[in-house]
Amino acid sequence: MKKLFLVVMVMFVSLQAWGTGSQEPADTKEEMKKEVTLSILWFNDGNESEVFMNTIDDYLIANPHVKVDLQLVPFGDYEKRLKLLIAGGTPPDLARVTNNHVAMFADNLVVLDEKVKNLSAVTAGFNKGSLAFATNKAGKLVALPTEATANGMIVNVDAYAKAGIDIREYSKTWTWDQWYDAMKKVVAANDSLEYGLGFDFSPHRWSTLLYEAGGRFVNEEATAMAFDTPEAVDALKFFKKLHDDKLIPASVWMGSENPQELFQAGIVASHIGGSWVINKYDSDIKDFEWAAVNMPKRKIRSSVAGGKFVGVFAGAENEATAIELMLHFSDQKHNAMYCKETLNLSARTDANIIYPSRNEDFNAMAADLAITPAITAKDWKSPELNKIYSYIREQIIEGLLGNQTMEQTAKNIQDKGNTFF
Amino acid sequence: MANRKKGASSFHQTRAPLFFLAPNLLIFFIFIIIPAVSGLRMSFYEWSILGGHSFTGISNYQALIGDAMFWKTLGNTLRFVLFVVPLLTASALCIALLVSAEDSSNGLFRGFYYLPTMLSFVIVGITWRWILGDEIGVLNYIIKQTGGESVQWLTLPAMATTSLIFISVWAQTGFYMVMFVGGLQAIPESLFDAASIDGASKWQTFTKIKLPMIRPTMLVVVVLATINSFKAFELIFVLTKGGPGTATKFLVQSIYQVAFEEDRMGYASSMAVILMLVIGVLTMLQFKLNKEYSNE
Amino acid sequence: MNKIMQSTIKIILVLLFFFPILWIALSSLKLQSELFTFPLSLLPENPTLENYRSAFKTGNFLLYFKNTTIVAVVSTTITILINTMSGYALSKYIFKGRDTIFFIMIATLMIPLQVILVPIFILEKNLGMLNTLMGIIIPPAATPTGIFLARQYMMTIPNSLIEAARIDGGSEWFIFQRIILPLSKPIIATLAIFSFMWRWNDFLWPFIVIAKQKKYTLQLALANFVGQYDVDWSKLLSMTVISIIPLVIVFLMFQKYFIKGMTSGGVKF
């Protein structure tokens, strides 16, 4: 017993020695001289945090008094973590955020118009769509765009070739019907291939079909849902048809298999995923040729705009330094460096990136993005839409399972969404 | 440090036990009870994490009554608990009986059976997701290799529920097995000696000695398994996200979604209060049954 | 059941419990590009330790390991001490409110922590425990499960031993320390195994309390390999394998204390 106490005491003492590493709040004028440790919240797809650190390396060398505490949080817990920190009054200095987060935390982010001199010069190089995402309800800028994301179609070139389809040519002008035929053929022509398409398991990816069919989630004024429409039902039914005709494996939306892994294993002939998947496939696929191609057209051809941003939080401990670093990271040179290294589409029009490989694939996705209507961004900027994200997913699956009609699914989503407006 | 009571053989004391309980009670009070009371308070409010909050009385609880999703997830949860608890208790007890004897190999066997418990739920979830995948799952691959038809382990609603129950039992059996082993090992040897002199069969030894002697352990196992099954969340979420659709969506996942995604903290708290009441009543019942059974 | 039957069943069970873990271990020796190539193979084609190398390269792995060890060891020590104390109080004394206290303790287990994340976070902040290991050592050290186990076990300790000591004039603390604890070895071993594992695998408390990378635990680091649409299998698998090893060691260390016939020694001081 005595020994036990002794052990505990020793532990206590040694722990105290590690201490809390707390900081004195810095006075902004003095901040530039003092030691500053920036808390930066970050989530990862692939190697992004490493590249981020490399990108800001020159800033840290030039400013030896600045240290970085990079806090990696899994994407699934990211929102929760941010909400905790903000609710507790201890927001991070700088955070990587998605367009959904910008909408959600708009009131908690520093308004750049008030803090940055000659902001127009800073924003000149960005593409307008990305900037539109980064504004609050009053239209003021609260974050700086880093990369644009797109939903794109990636195909197994070899598999389509076996069916006698030169998919690069064929996909230049294809429609949903031609897409459907091509998938039928490619599945028939390949023994090892079981399905035509792996479709990422998220409402955001699914919404590609919605916009192409001419539908939308939220009305133009962002005051209510506008989902209970023939267009939305059309997109839902087409999605169900692809499942019913066994062109999409049930195991992705009904089970939890990863379409990316299915594509890699050569089980599905194509994959609708995010632009960053190019990076992934580039390093992981060794045994067949693949390419990113245009989305097939329904009423329109469209991707879904999205993006990642960096923002500084109001009330952050080291606001001035954080803004300085954000501007540094977002300028033309560093943004191009970051997007090139992470194989992402830049949110800057002047980035002029030549990727080490896969340039054509990026161009294919960028081309989709270029003709994507603004409503996609409007929709996904909506905090209300974000609140029913899981609900939408559940409802679509209830429809796919045949537990309810797709008309009912559209109505349910409409009604649930409207409770938040 | 402790109070001395010379010669008193009475166990009717207050100061000593309170002293012994103090550290635990203090921690519970500060870290769980205070936050829980604020949670309870929230259930009478409309409460947003980032926004404000306003008092709404019992309207959250009234809204629960008409909330189909709440009843569905509560039903899913109850069904899950009803299957998992007996299966888990039975499998843990059977395995403990197999490996409770102290011989050279049993320690190792216990180690093997305990292994799954050592994995965090997230890892258990993604590993099984990978094993049970329809297309690139290991299990279906083996089935196909041996000429069988592949099974939609996690894709058909009924099958997904079954798989979840199996995996939950698989992941926790080792934990409760350790408790049972402890209980079985604590049975005095003399009882068995007496039984073998009387020529009792194995089965009689089991029903007449082992079962009554491990009843305290049994109570722990059943109560804990019940509470933990009600709270099951991570494993299920990683495996099926509550799907297909809402086939395996349980109450805690619902609470989570309402609290953090829909930002309705107050409503989520009222759901949590109901969940606690259900668990509380069931736990009381289990204690009562146990008392009656052992005629204390 | 005869011996052969028993052994057969035991070995079949080993396959059932061990196969998925073996799959994890073997897959951790495969490169990510080999993981999803068909046909599947149990054994890696070109076994490589590359995943382990990259896991260690992920920076700070050893630091997280150290943090987790400190948390698990200290918290387990505290847990054993205060839970056996509580178990003793609840099993061997009769006093007003005993059952209420016991039930409140069990009730704390019923609260889904997820719902009270925000109040807990604010509380930890006010106590100055954010970003300290203490903040994840102290709160979960009081485990209702541990108290419950200790109480149930101690109920089986004969009262006569305690009474004898009281007549000899032993203080209550002396009795607890010299009689109860030595007789409670099996339950202490069980608590040690469980508590160490809980703290080692804990995600929620570290998630609430720890933001600074210097204080990360293994589970916080591991969780980052599960992305939005994607799992970084290579790092996840290798780190998982490494993180199980201490748990196995602790289990094997403590499980030999499930000593038979605890009362067969009689009364010793």
Side-chain angles (χ1 to χ4, degrees):
Chain A
M1 239 11 263
K2 285 215 175 66
K3 259 190 261 171
L4 199 62
F5 262 125
L6 215 63
V7 171
V8 174
M9 287 310 294
V10 168
M11 283 298 196
F12 261 103
V13 172
S14 52
L15 271 166
Q16 294 308 324
W18 262 297
T20 58
S22 70
Q23 307 161 316
E24 284 86 61
D27 181 349
T28 30
K29 277 176 197 151
E30 297 250 304
E31 209 180 319
M32 304 320 297
K33 312 279 179 293
K34 268 193 202 154
E35 282 274 308
V36 175
T37 303
L38 286 179
S39 57
I40 301 181
L41 207 60
W42 199 269
F43 62 87
N44 252 358
D45 282 312
N47 61 345
E48 285 158 354
S49 62
E50 281 170 56
V51 177
F52 170 73
M53 289 307 286
N54 295 340
T55 309
I56 61 167
D57 207 28
D58 59 348
Y59 176 87
L60 295 178
I61 290 168
N63 297 282
H65 65 286
V66 179
K67 300 266 178 301
V68 166
D69 179 32
L70 189 75
Q71 300 165 7
L72 275 181
V73 179
F75 187 80
D77 296 312
Y78 198 75
E79 213 171 283
K80 214 165 36 211
R81 155 74 74 209
L82 260 176
K83 281 182 177 172
L84 271 187
L85 292 173
I86 292 166
T90 53
D93 293 318
L94 185 72
R96 180 188 201 203
V97 284
T98 66
N99 43 293
N100 292 347
H101 297 146
V102 175
M104 205 181 313
F105 299 110
D107 298 341
N108 310 93
L109 290 160
V110 167
V111 177
L112 298 178
D113 301 58
E114 297 164 7
K115 301 277 176 181
V116 180
K117 293 193 192 83
N118 58 30
L119 187 66
S120 53
V122 172
T123 56
F126 288 96
N127 77 48
K128 297 283 170 288
S130 297
L131 282 175
F133 262 134
T135 54
N136 63 11
K137 281 216 160 94
K140 296 273 187 253
L141 203 64
V142 291
L144 285 179
T146 307
E147 68 245 48
T149 57
N151 290 354
M153 163 88 73
I154 291 153
V155 291
N156 182 329
V157 176
D158 295 354
Y160 280 95
K162 263 199 181 152
I165 300 170
D166 177 358
I167 194 67
R168 284 197 175 93
E169 264 319 299
Y170 187 82
S171 63
K172 276 185 177 151
T173 56
W174 59 349
T175 63
W176 279 13
D177 294 333
Q178 289 168 316
W179 173 34
Y180 184 89
D181 293 339
M183 281 204 285
K184 278 266 188 231
K185 283 189 189 131
V186 76
V187 174
N190 288 271
D191 285 345
S192 61
L193 207 71
E194 305 276 344
Y195 301 94
L197 173 71
F199 207 120
D200 268 6
F201 183 30
S202 82
H204 185 270
R205 296 278 190 265
W206 175 83
S207 70
T208 316
L209 297 180
L210 175 71
Y211 301 120
E212 290 208 318
R216 62 193 307 173
F217 279 112
V218 180
N219 69 9
E220 190 61 32
E221 301 75 36
T223 52
M225 297 290 287
F227 187 71
D228 195 0
T229 58
E231 289 82 6
V233 173
D234 173 34
L236 286 165
K237 284 192 166 160
F238 180 66
F239 194 50
K240 182 163 166 46
K241 183 179 165 188
L242 293 177
H243 275 89
D244 291 347
D245 296 352
K246 297 273 184 276
L247 286 174
I248 296 184
S251 64
V252 174
W253 276 64
M254 269 71 107
S256 301
E257 281 196 302
N258 185 340
Q260 200 186 296
E261 286 159 10
L262 295 177
F263 185 76
Q264 224 176 296
I267 303 222
V268 297
S270 21
H271 173 202
I272 289 183
S275 38
W276 58 272
V277 85
I278 294 176
N279 180 3
K280 196 87 192 123
Y281 288 162
D282 193 41
S283 64
D284 286 349
I285 295 182
K286 308 274 186 240
D287 44 7
F288 60 85
E289 196 190 333
W290 57 273
V293 295
N294 293 342
M295 274 287 171
K297 183 177 171 208
R298 181 70 165 182
K299 269 185 187 163
I300 56 166
R301 185 180 123 213
S302 170
S303 172
V304 180
K308 313 265 167 68
F309 308 76
V310 277
V312 173
F313 280 85
E317 215 170 342
N318 311 300
E319 201 181 273
T321 314
I323 290 174
E324 195 178 73
L325 179 64
M326 173 170 73
L327 292 171
H328 178 88
F329 172 66
S330 304
D331 69 20
Q332 192 273 336
K333 177 182 152 197
H334 293 91
N335 177 273
M337 192 169 141
Y338 175 83
C339 292
K340 183 177 173 176
E341 292 288 312
T342 55
L343 295 180
N344 274 309
L345 297 168
S346 172
R348 294 187 69 106
T349 46
D350 57 3
N352 305 326
I353 300 171
I354 306 291
Y355 293 95
S357 58
R358 295 285 163 191
N359 241 339
E360 273 173 45
D361 302 302
F362 282 106
N363 292 341
M365 287 210 182
D368 275 344
L369 204 52
I371 55 167
T372 296
I375 55 163
T376 66
K378 271 212 159 107
D379 263 357
W380 289 109
K381 255 197 79 158
S382 156
E384 291 84 2
L385 184 61
N386 208 38
K387 285 182 178 174
I388 56 167
Y389 201 72
S390 298
Y391 184 81
I392 294 171
R393 197 189 62 218
E394 288 163 9
Q395 285 299 311
I396 292 175
I397 299 168
E398 292 292 340
L400 293 177
L401 289 167
N403 295 341
Q404 61 192 32
T405 62
M406 283 303 185
E407 284 82 359
Q408 187 64 47
T409 296
K411 190 179 175 321
N412 288 353
I413 292 172
Q414 171 93 359
D415 293 348
K416 175 82 175 180
N418 277 338
T419 60
F420 291 100
F421 280 98
Chain B
M1 189 131 157
N3 60 343
R4 296 174 78 99
K5 277 215 156 190
K6 276 237 159 118
S9 64
S10 133
F11 288 92
H12 287 273
Q13 295 205 18
T14 313
R15 274 181 51 197
L18 283 183
F19 158 79
F20 281 120
L21 284 164
N24 248 324
L25 282 176
L26 198 67
I27 295 177
F28 276 143
F29 188 76
I30 294 175
F31 290 100
I32 307 287
I33 299 192
I34 293 179
V37 169
S38 15
L40 180 64
R41 203 181 117 229
M42 274 183 200
S43 72
F44 299 102
Y45 283 76
E46 204 160 280
W47 195 294
S48 147
I49 298 184
L50 298 176
H53 47 267
S54 57
F55 184 76
T56 54
I58 57 163
S59 72
N60 282 331
Y61 291 93
Q62 285 166 329
L64 275 181
I65 296 166
D67 184 344
M69 186 56 78
F70 170 75
W71 292 107
K72 183 178 162 93
T73 51
L74 181 62
N76 283 349
T77 312
L78 284 168
R79 194 180 51 206
F80 178 75
V81 172
L82 277 178
F83 277 102
V84 167
V85 174
L87 283 171
L88 192 51
T89 311
S91 65
L93 179 57
C94 293
I95 292 175
L97 287 167
L98 268 182
V99 294
S100 66
E102 269 321 322
D103 66 27
S104 52
S105 63
N106 272 348
L108 201 61
F109 279 120
R110 288 199 288 256
F112 274 121
Y113 304 155
Y114 186 71
L115 268 177
T117 310
M118 298 186 191
L119 299 167
S120 68
F121 277 137
V122 173
I123 304 288
V124 172
I126 46 184
T127 306
W128 278 98
R129 203 169 80 189
W130 189 14
I131 291 173
L132 297 180
D134 287 7
E135 309 301 331
I136 45 176
V138 181
L139 192 55
N140 275 346
Y141 180 73
I142 294 170
I143 292 175
K144 274 190 250 175
Q145 288 293 309
T146 51
E149 276 288 300
S150 68
V151 182
Q152 295 186 297
W153 299 108
L154 295 171
T155 309
L156 289 175
M159 204 66 224
T161 310
T162 313
S163 300
L164 269 186
I165 290 168
F166 171 80
I167 295 164
S168 301
V169 171
W170 179 89
Q172 299 175 79
T173 295
F175 177 72
Y176 297 108
M177 170 202 78
V178 171
M179 292 189 192
F180 276 130
V181 169
L184 288 166
Q185 300 242 325
I187 300 173
E189 199 65 41
S190 50
L191 288 180
F192 294 121
D193 297 343
S196 65
I197 288 165
D198 295 344
S201 69
K202 276 221 152 143
W203 178 248
Q204 282 172 321
T205 315
F206 173 67
T207 53
K208 294 279 185 297
I209 299 174
K210 287 185 179 172
L211 265 186
M213 288 300 285
I214 55 162
R215 179 147 345 97
T217 315
M218 185 79 88
L219 180 71
V220 181
V221 169
V222 172
V223 168
L224 289 180
T226 306
I227 295 176
N228 288 332
S229 306
F230 265 106
K231 293 200 321 181
F233 164 66
E234 282 99 345
L235 178 62
I236 286 112
F237 191 75
V238 172
L239 266 166
T240 66
K241 278 211 168 108
T246 51
T248 56
K249 193 175 175 186
F250 299 153
L251 204 46
V252 173
Q253 188 189 332
S254 235
I255 291 172
Y256 222 81
Q257 196 173 319
V258 170
F260 287 99
E261 192 174 322
E262 299 182 5
D263 197 17
R264 295 155 72 204
M265 252 330 188
Y267 191 60
S269 301
S270 70
M271 290 163 97
V273 170
I274 301 292
L275 173 67
M276 276 201 59
L277 287 176
V278 172
I279 306 177
V281 167
L282 278 174
T283 308
M284 290 246 202
L285 211 65
Q286 285 164 343
F287 274 96
K288 276 231 162 23
L289 284 174
N290 181 63
K291 258 214 169 89
E292 273 168 31
Y293 202 72
S294 50
N295 306 321
E296 279 179 19
Chain C
M1 263 195 307
N2 61 22
K3 273 266 180 284
I4 295 171
M5 268 274 280
Q6 277 198 14
S7 304
T8 316
I9 292 175
K10 282 185 199 174
I11 286 162
I12 290 171
L13 284 171
V14 167
L15 288 178
L16 178 69
F17 283 110
F18 188 55
F19 175 75
I21 293 159
L22 183 70
W23 179 256
I24 292 176
L26 288 170
S27 300
S28 73
L29 302 172
K30 295 178 181 178
L31 287 175
Q32 182 116 356
S33 50
E34 200 191 318
L35 280 178
F36 299 104
T37 39
F38 262 61
L40 290 170
S41 61
L42 180 64
L43 294 169
E45 214 169 311
N46 322 301
T48 165
L49 289 173
E50 191 46 48
N51 297 334
Y52 289 86
R53 259 195 295 276
S54 71
F56 275 102
K57 271 213 309 257
T58 315
N60 296 341
F61 181 78
L62 287 172
L63 177 68
Y64 305 151
F65 205 88
K66 187 178 87 175
N67 287 342
T68 316
T69 308
I70 293 169
V71 169
V73 170
V74 179
S75 199
T76 298
T77 313
I78 298 174
T79 295
I80 290 171
L81 180 66
I82 66 180
N83 285 356
T84 47
M85 280 163 66
S86 295
Y88 176 53
L90 292 170
S91 61
K92 290 296 170 201
Y93 289 95
I94 300 164
F95 57 98
K96 211 171 158 228
R98 182 183 72 167
D99 290 348
T100 316
I101 287 179
F102 177 56
F103 201 81
I104 286 173
M105 286 184 165
I106 298 292
T108 59
L109 195 62
M110 303 172 194
I111 301 168
L113 274 189
Q114 289 90 346
V115 187
I116 53 172
L117 283 188
V118 178
I120 289 178
F121 179 83
I122 290 166
L123 183 88
E124 290 255 9
K125 182 187 159 214
N126 294 340
L127 291 172
M129 282 180 142
L130 286 187
N131 291 316
T132 65
L133 294 184
M134 271 301 154
I136 46 179
I137 287 172
I138 301 285
T143 58
T145 310
I147 295 168
F148 194 10
L149 278 170
R151 171 184 175 263
Q152 296 300 91
Y153 182 87
M154 289 175 185
M155 279 179 161
T156 62
I157 295 176
N159 289 343
S160 54
L161 294 177
I162 303 168
E163 277 166 32
R166 282 214 176 94
I167 289 161
D168 291 346
S171 76
E172 300 298 313
W173 179 255
F174 175 89
I175 293 170
F176 172 72
Q177 197 189 316
R178 288 299 167 83
I179 297 168
I180 302 294
L181 282 184
L183 290 177
S184 301
K185 271 200 187 125
I187 204 65
I188 290 175
T190 311
L191 279 179
I193 288 172
F194 286 167
S195 171
F196 191 87
M197 178 182 86
W198 288 327
R199 296 292 71 83
W200 191 267
N201 283 337
D202 197 359
F203 178 76
L204 210 54
W205 281 100
F207 177 77
I208 297 170
V209 175
I210 304 293
K212 295 213 178 312
Q213 225 179 13
K214 281 204 305 262
K215 304 280 182 195
Y216 271 20
T217 63
L218 280 176
Q219 291 304 323
L220 286 179
L222 272 175
N224 278 308
F225 300 137
V226 183
Q228 188 182 359
Y229 292 99
D230 172 44
V231 176
D232 187 343
W233 288 102
S234 56
K235 290 199 182 88
L236 184 77
L237 295 172
S238 53
M239 267 210 186
T240 299
V241 171
I242 297 170
S243 72
I244 300 177
I245 293 167
L247 296 176
V248 175
I249 292 169
V250 167
F251 180 84
L252 294 175
M253 248 168 51
F254 281 95
Q255 68 119 25
K256 63 170 182 280
Y257 288 104
F258 293 145
I259 293 165
K260 267 199 122 122
M262 53 142 216
T263 51
S264 53
V267 190
K268 281 198 192 122
F269 295 115

